[in-house]
């Protein structure tokens, strides 16, 4: 049975690893191609867009995909919308992995904003030392507030043309640890942390470190997820797939 996993997350990689040795299915991992050197699991992988809803629906049909798992990042809104629409068109069962959001704890100083431009606004007019952990694709709006000094952390280097003049960059891939995050925030004299509400344990320690140091967190809220069945993690997706496989075998 053909399974397509829309990836680019730790959950997608975990699902792919679990299915690598599963004789019941032939799984394909799909990546957008943004990361130049992705860590690939031992299943076939494809890179690049499908060409919108119609392209993805055509892919599902021509490859006889019998189950679609959207394990993209909670902020990858376009591909998730496309997946729901394409699965409906092609009549393919689908599930989305939506990891739980982070929620504020006592002691947190969160300012929740709707999007990245609002995060830039929330930093205000007084120069601050800002830690940006929002990936490398949406940095350009921070150039509109060049009076802050920025420390950017992402898996791969951002395009220098999109960076504020005052930005410095460090490359790092999670998981991170609270004591190291705390040392980094202290060493750099960080006054505000900007993050998307991605959820998950791997990058949460920066929030605990900010809480411990009384640092403001500008938290970008998630886009609205498309309707459909969701599971919180890779294990949930694999359980869903077990059910689809057993139904498929019986030809129901
Ligand atoms: P997006 O805005 O939702 O998608 C833009 C377009 O990229 C889609 O319409 C699709 O092109 C293509 N695409 C996205 N994910 C794809 C996938 N897994 N396989 C094939 N094509 C894909 O996506 P994004 O926010 O740029 O995210 C791109 C990738 O980075 C995703 O794999 C996502 O899981 C990962 N990621 C994103 C974030 C984030 O904050 N956005 C963070 C960590 C990881 P077509 O319309 O041509 O099919």
């Amino acid at each position: 049975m053909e399974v397509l996993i829309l990836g680019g997350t730790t959950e997608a990689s975990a699902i792919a690893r679990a299915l690598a040795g599963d004789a019941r299915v032939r799984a394909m991992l799909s990546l957008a191609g943004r990361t130049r050197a992705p860590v690939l699991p031992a299943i076939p992988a494809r890179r690049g867009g499908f060409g919108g809803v119609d392209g993805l629906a055509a892919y599902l049909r021509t490859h006889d995909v019998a189950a679609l798992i959207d394990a993209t990042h909670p902020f990858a809104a376009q591909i998730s919308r496309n997946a729901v629409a394409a699965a409906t068109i092609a009549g393919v069962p689908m599930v989305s992995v939506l990891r739980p959001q982070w929620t504020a704890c006592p002691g947190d100083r969160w300012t929740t904003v709707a999007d990245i431009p609002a995060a830039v606004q929330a930093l205000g007019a007084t120069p601050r030392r800002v830690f940006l952990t929002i990936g490398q694709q949406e940095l350009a709006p921070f150039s509109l507030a060049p009076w802050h000094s920025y420390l950017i952390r992402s898996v791969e280097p951002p395009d220098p043309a999109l960076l504020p003049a005052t930005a410095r960059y460090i490359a790092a891939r999670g998981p991170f640890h609270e004591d190291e995050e705390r040392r980094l925030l202290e060493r750099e004299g960080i006054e505000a942390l900007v993050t998307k509400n991605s959820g998950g344990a791997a990058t949460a320690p920066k929030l605990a470190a900010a809480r411990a140091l009384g640092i403001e967190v500008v938290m970008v809220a998630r886009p609205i997820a498309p309707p459909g069945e969701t599971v919180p993690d890779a294990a949930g997706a694999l359980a869903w797939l077990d059910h689809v496989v057993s139904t498929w075998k019986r030809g129901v």
Side-chain angles (χ1 to χ4, degrees):
M1 193 186 107
E2 303 288 339
V3 178
L4 179 64
I5 308 160
L6 302 175
T9 58
T10 49
E11 289 89 342
S13 301
I15 295 165
R17 273 196 305 278
L19 295 182
D22 189 331
R24 303 169 305 164
V25 299
R26 270 202 303 265
M28 167 72 77
L29 177 66
S30 176
L31 299 171
R34 308 269 193 275
T35 306
R36 282 181 282 272
V39 181
L40 290 173
I43 62 166
R46 63 170 299 287
R47 284 164 73 99
F50 296 93
V53 174
D54 292 343
L56 180 52
Y59 181 98
L60 296 175
R61 284 204 184 104
T62 52
H63 291 80
D64 269 335
V65 174
L68 174 62
I69 300 175
D70 174 15
T72 57
H73 191 269
F75 279 79
Q78 185 63 54
I79 187 69
S80 293
R81 279 196 298 274
N82 292 0
V84 169
T88 306
I89 292 169
V92 173
M94 174 188 162
V95 75
S96 300
V97 180
L98 204 55
R99 57 175 92 131
Q101 309 203 44
W102 293 318
T103 51
C105 301
D108 275 329
R109 292 181 52 217
W110 285 15
T111 302
T112 299
V113 296
D115 52 24
I116 296 289
V120 178
Q121 287 270 323
L123 290 175
T126 307
R128 301 165 86 184
R129 296 175 67 83
V130 179
F131 187 29
L132 291 183
T133 61
I134 55 163
Q136 78 248 29
Q137 287 181 56
E138 292 177 273
L139 294 166
F142 292 93
S143 298
L144 299 173
W147 50 89
H148 302 301
S149 67
Y150 296 101
L151 178 67
I152 294 164
R153 181 173 71 190
S154 58
V155 173
E156 289 195 348
D159 178 351
L162 301 179
L163 294 188
T166 50
R168 286 178 304 124
Y169 166 72
I170 46 176
R173 193 191 289 267
F176 299 102
H177 301 283
E178 185 182 337
D179 50 349
E180 286 162 17
E181 297 289 62
R182 199 171 157 153
R183 279 198 291 277
L184 175 69
L185 296 177
E186 284 180 318
R187 190 173 64 240
E188 296 287 339
I190 297 298
E191 297 166 289
L193 161 69
V194 182
T195 181
K196 297 174 175 175
N197 195 336
S198 301
T203 55
K206 63 189 171 191
L207 302 176
R211 183 183 315 126
L213 297 172
I215 292 172
E216 183 191 1
V217 174
V218 178
M219 182 66 72
V220 181
R222 286 187 181 181
I224 295 166
E229 188 171 349
T230 62
V231 290
D233 51 24
L238 292 168
W240 173 86
L241 187 61
D242 277 343
H243 177 70
V244 176
V245 170
S246 61
T247 316
W248 184 79
K249 274 188 176 157
R250 292 201 311 270
V252 178

